Amino acid sequence: MFEIVGETSGEVSGAKRFKLPGVTIKFKCPNCGHDFEQELNGHHYLDYPQMNKAFQYGTGCPECEHEWQIPLILKVSLEEADGIPDSS
Ligand SMILES: [Zn+2]
């Protein structure tokens, strides 16, 4: 038996460049309408993100160089799993 208590808060520990492989943000430039994507797996990342607290993510259009910010929230939680799938 076990119990998990508390909620994450504050900065992700040691996450100067926090990457989220598999996650892509798709943008439409509010200035020129250009569509582009940013994969958060290397060149793009979250800079010292706060957990479970909204923050601003800055981006820029590769076509017209317009820059703007979007609000994001990084939800981090620890929960009991149904089990661990067999690895082979
Ligand atoms: Zn643009």
Side-chain angles (χ1 to χ4, degrees), residues 55-77:
F55 60 93
Q56 298 279 11
Y57 176 84
T59 191
C61 176
E63 196 67 26
C64 73
E65 299 185 1
H66 178 68
E67 294 182 351
W68 73 100
Q69 294 186 321
I70 58 170
L72 296 178
I73 186 166
L74 177 65
K75 294 186 176 178
V76 179
S77 64

Side-chain angles (χ1 to χ4, degrees), residues 3-4 9 25 30 46 53 59 64 74-75 85:
E3 182 183 17
I4 299 168
S9 65
I25 305 175
L46 305 179
K53 183 181 176 188
T59 191
C64 73
L74 177 65
K75 294 186 176 178

Side-chain angles (χ1 to χ4, degrees), residues 7-25:
E7 293 180 8
T8 54
S9 65
E11 233 171 53
V12 177
S13 180
K16 175 172 168 49
R17 294 184 174 185
F18 190 75
K19 299 166 188 170
L20 289 164
V23 175
T24 297
I25 305 175

Side-chain angles (χ1 to χ4, degrees), residues 29 32 34 61 64:
C29 176
C32 75
H34 181 64
C61 176
C64 73

